[in-house]
Amino acid sequence: MMRHAVSFLVGITLAVGLFWLLALLVTPPESEPETPIMTMTMNMVEAPEVAPEQEAPAPQPAQATPQQAPPPMPTPEPPPVTDSAITLPDVELPDVPVEPVEMDDELPELTEIAPEPQPAPQPEPAPEPSPEPPTEAAPVATPTEAPAQREAAPVAEAPPSNEPVSVGQVAPTNRVNPNYPPRAQRRGMEGFVEVEFIIRRDGSVDRSSVRVTNSQPRRVFDDAAQKAIGQWQFASSQQIRRATQRIEFQLR
């Protein structure tokens, strides 16, 4: 029983000692701050001989010399910059795919058009006289017929022909200007259109007969010219006429 108690006490002592050593390793004891020692230098000066009648002056305390400030710490120099010997490889960027642009193939390429001379206005041809039908011969009076009974046969007027007569260019009495196509106006295109059409007896234009004979550039101003010609008005006539007209499209 005594042995067990002694071994228990020894074990507790060893445990406390190990714990104390571990605490010293983790948190070492703080050292006491050293108090600065102030040094003072004093000069001993011999007092002059004083006459017995005069009292010696009281000695003045020696003045302490001011303590010199410590020299400033030198600033550390920055480390020298060294050139890196590592070279970066050139990165090749992939080509960006370019989408094909669809070109409008309805309009032809822009070409410089030399201005054509304006045709001189042709005089309006006089309407051709309609051929007079042959007059019927009057019947010959027989001997049995009396002279009073003889009558002249009436002259029948020939109906107007439905075949159109070519008259070339005719000046209209009422003209409607064509609309400039917006696409051609944005591109700065100019040109002309020559059309052929039929004029009715009342002077109106047969819109179904309007036909483009020549244009420059092709298929650019054709629709605008046909719509404008279909609204023109001409002088009335007894004949159906086939006329031609040239319309210029110019930017002003």
Side-chain angles (χ1 to χ4, degrees):
M1 186 69 180
M2 191 68 177
R3 186 180 298 173
H4 290 291
V6 171
S7 62
F8 180 73
L9 291 175
V10 171
I12 291 176
T13 304
L14 291 175
V16 172
L18 291 174
F19 181 77
W20 181 71
L21 291 175
L22 182 62
L24 289 178
L25 292 174
V26 173
T27 57
E30 297 181 357
S31 60
E32 296 181 359
E34 297 179 358
T35 57
I37 299 173
M38 301 289 293
T39 59
M40 299 178 63
T41 58
M42 300 183 66
N43 297 328
M44 300 300 292
V45 180
E46 294 181 358
E49 295 181 358
V50 183
E53 291 88 6
Q54 296 179 358
E55 295 181 356
Q60 297 180 358
Q63 296 181 356
T65 58
Q67 187 178 2
Q68 296 180 356
M73 296 295 292
T75 57
E77 297 181 357
V81 180
T82 58
D83 297 336
S84 176
I86 301 174
T87 57
L88 298 176
D90 296 337
V91 180
E92 296 182 358
L93 298 177
D95 296 337
V96 180
V98 180
E99 297 181 359
V101 181
E102 297 182 0
M103 301 298 293
D104 190 2
D105 55 353
E106 294 183 0
L107 296 177
E109 298 181 355
L110 298 178
T111 56
E112 296 183 358
I113 303 173
E116 297 184 2
Q118 296 289 339
Q122 299 179 359
E124 183 178 357
E128 298 179 359
S130 58
E132 296 181 358
T135 56
E136 298 181 359
V140 180
T142 57
T144 57
E145 294 178 355
Q149 295 179 356
R150 292 180 299 176
E151 295 180 358
V155 177
E157 296 181 358
S161 175
N162 293 328
E163 187 69 21
V165 179
S166 298
V167 293
Q169 291 188 356
V170 182
T173 58
N174 185 13
R175 175 171 179 167
V176 177
N177 294 327
N179 295 326
Y180 214 100
R183 183 180 299 177
Q185 188 175 7
R186 289 194 301 268
R187 296 188 178 186
M189 301 176 63
E190 297 182 350
F192 67 91
V193 178
E194 295 180 357
V195 294
E196 184 182 34
F197 53 94
I198 293 177
I199 305 174
R200 300 189 183 98
R201 293 184 177 91
D202 58 354
S204 62
V205 177
D206 186 2
R207 297 185 180 181
S208 61
S209 65
V210 179
R211 182 173 59 90
V212 177
T213 58
N214 187 16
S215 63
Q216 185 67 32
R218 298 183 61 82
R219 299 189 304 273
V220 176
F221 305 103
D222 296 2
D223 295 340
Q226 290 178 347
K227 291 180 181 179
I229 289 292
Q231 302 176 11
W232 286 15
Q233 187 70 26
F234 296 86
S236 59
S237 176
Q238 295 182 355
Q239 293 290 333
I240 300 176
R241 292 160 289 176
R242 185 184 302 276
T244 58
Q245 192 71 30
R246 178 190 174 100
I247 301 179
E248 298 284 344
F249 288 85
Q250 296 180 354
L251 295 173
R252 299 182 184 271

